[in-house]
Amino acid sequence: DAQHAATHFAGVVSSRLKTQFTELQFAAFALLGPDADPRHPDPKVVQTLRRFMALHPSLYAFNILSPDGNTILWSTQAQQARPITSGAAFTPLPGHPDFLLGQDRDAKRVGTRVLTMRFRVRGPDGTVRYLLGTPYRLDQLLKPLSQRDAALPWRLTVRDTRDGSVLGVVEHGQVRFAQSTSMPRARSVTVPIEGTPLAVQVSWPADLAWQDFARNSLLRWGVELGSLLLLGLALGWIVWLLQHRDRQVHVLRRMGQLQDLLAQVNQEAAQMTQEDAFLQKVCDLAITRGQLALAYVAQPGDDASFAFVAAAGHTAYLDGLVISTDPAAIES
């Protein structure tokens, strides 16, 4: 149960971080663009960014920073030019060299602890033009998804594996930043947060199993002395519950893969100049990043049939395949 709790919570945190990195990338490419003036962004872009901030209370501001990451050139929030985290404290994520994750800080300007994030914007020559960053409020990043999660007996401690520091502790639905604890803990399991230098440690009291036994002994003996039908229903419910948890973890992982695919496609779209190469790259990414079996792009011709201009994966399926807009074509 503790392993499931750790894996589930790690998936939640990973999904939230990946979503925010994807949104930073989208804002950098689709709104600002690599040729934007980092000190004077377009007023329409500024208005869009402010609307986005109003809808996302977990974020404090969108900051445009100098290439070294040590100066705020422009921000949606009036604040000092010195950022919360210096540029040297950021680490590129594995497989995403332009996704930079900082360390947690007690930010007075935000009024709470934050985890800083940045996206590196490069010019056509590959040099860094500016950084687009945002502080993520840790109480929002680490909050449980539901009341059911808050009722579980686990203590969830999120650690930064780079220096062993504690980002926060989640217990009984509450997020705390104090690292000390008055409850003795004897056992724990640790699960890494995929794609980040973070990990979730789930711990519990040494006598938790005995407490659970004592609290549910009457019910348990009643079930054991009951009919085989009731026992079968109870076992079936337990199996369904475990399968449901596994599906939740699978869905979160799958969402992360598709968000990663979208980020890669956006990046390729901003850099690619040849249409054929771009379409083939999208198909390749759909196989490698999106974990799809087959991806292809088809283009209609004058004879109402489609020609395959790009494909990846199990392309043998396309051999001899006819797709046509003509309802009279018996081959399609």
Side-chain angles (χ1 to χ4, degrees):
D1 287 344
Q3 186 77 24
H4 274 290
T7 303
H8 174 70
F9 190 67
V12 170
V13 175
S14 175
S15 178
R16 289 171 177 170
L17 289 176
K18 287 181 179 178
T19 297
Q20 183 53 30
F21 272 120
T22 301
E23 290 171 348
L24 279 176
Q25 185 181 41
F26 174 79
F29 283 129
L31 298 180
L32 294 171
D35 299 325
D37 181 356
R39 295 182 182 273
H40 303 92
D42 184 89
K44 293 183 179 180
V45 173
V46 172
Q47 186 178 20
T48 301
L49 291 176
R50 295 190 187 279
R51 288 176 179 173
F52 183 88
M53 294 300 306
L55 296 174
H56 293 75
S58 59
L59 308 178
Y60 172 68
F62 273 119
N63 301 323
I64 301 179
L65 302 103
S66 58
D68 62 3
N70 293 324
T71 304
I72 297 177
L73 305 178
W74 180 89
S75 176
T76 57
Q77 185 79 18
Q79 58 181 310
Q80 57 182 290
R82 182 180 180 181
I84 297 173
T85 307
S86 65
F90 284 81
T91 301
L93 297 188
H96 300 279
D98 292 328
F99 288 178
L100 307 176
L101 187 67
Q103 294 181 309
D104 62 304
R105 292 287 187 271
D106 190 5
K108 293 183 179 180
R109 69 186 73 175
V110 184
T112 184
R113 293 190 71 83
V114 298
L115 183 65
T116 47
M117 311 168 61
R118 292 176 181 176
F119 176 73
R120 191 157 40 196
V121 181
R122 300 180 184 272
D125 59 354
T127 60
V128 179
R129 295 203 65 249
Y130 58 87
L131 304 173
L132 183 63
T134 183
Y136 204 132
R137 288 182 170 90
L138 276 174
D139 57 345
Q140 297 295 316
L141 176 63
L142 304 182
K143 69 177 181 180
L145 278 178
S146 64
Q147 290 297 324
R148 178 185 173 278
D149 293 334
L152 294 174
W154 317 114
R155 171 171 290 162
L156 305 168
T157 303
V158 181
R159 297 184 179 274
D160 191 325
T161 57
R162 292 171 290 186
D163 59 4
S165 62
V166 175
L167 274 68
V169 177
V170 182
E171 191 170 24
H172 306 308
Q174 302 296 319
V175 180
R176 297 186 292 103
F177 300 122
Q179 299 185 20
S180 61
T181 174
S182 58
M183 180 182 293
R185 300 275 160 174
R187 299 179 181 178
S188 66
V189 294
T190 301
V191 172
I193 298 178
E194 183 181 5
T196 72
L198 308 176
V200 176
Q201 182 184 42
V202 176
S203 54
W204 62 92
D207 59 349
L208 179 61
W210 173 251
Q211 291 178 11
D212 184 67
F213 176 83
R215 184 171 56 252
N216 300 295
S217 58
L218 292 178
L219 177 61
R220 183 163 44 253
W221 286 115
V223 172
E224 291 176 356
L225 296 176
S227 67
L228 291 177
L229 176 61
L230 291 179
L231 180 59
L233 291 175
L235 292 175
W237 180 82
I238 293 173
V239 171
W240 177 87
L241 179 61
L242 294 176
Q243 292 175 343
H244 181 67
R245 289 179 178 177
D246 290 338
R247 285 195 297 270
Q248 285 183 319
V249 173
H250 175 74
V251 168
L252 287 171
R253 288 178 176 172
R254 188 58 178 153
M255 288 175 61
Q257 291 174 344
L258 295 178
Q259 288 168 354
D260 177 60
L261 169 62
L262 176 61
Q264 292 295 320
V265 170
N266 286 336
Q267 188 169 357
E268 292 295 333
Q271 299 174 353
M272 193 69 70
T273 58
Q274 298 293 327
E275 179 181 356
D276 293 344
F278 172 68
L279 295 178
Q280 184 58 49
K281 186 65 176 180
V282 171
C283 291
D284 294 338
L285 288 172
I287 302 303
T288 59
R289 297 286 189 177
Q291 302 296 313
L292 302 180
L294 171 64
Y296 67 86
V297 178
Q299 185 176 30
D302 295 336
D303 58 352
S305 62
F306 285 80
F308 304 107
V309 297
H314 297 299
T315 55
Y317 177 78
L318 302 178
D319 296 341
L321 179 65
V322 177
I323 302 177
S324 174
T325 60
D326 184 3
I330 62 174
E331 299 89 356
S332 59

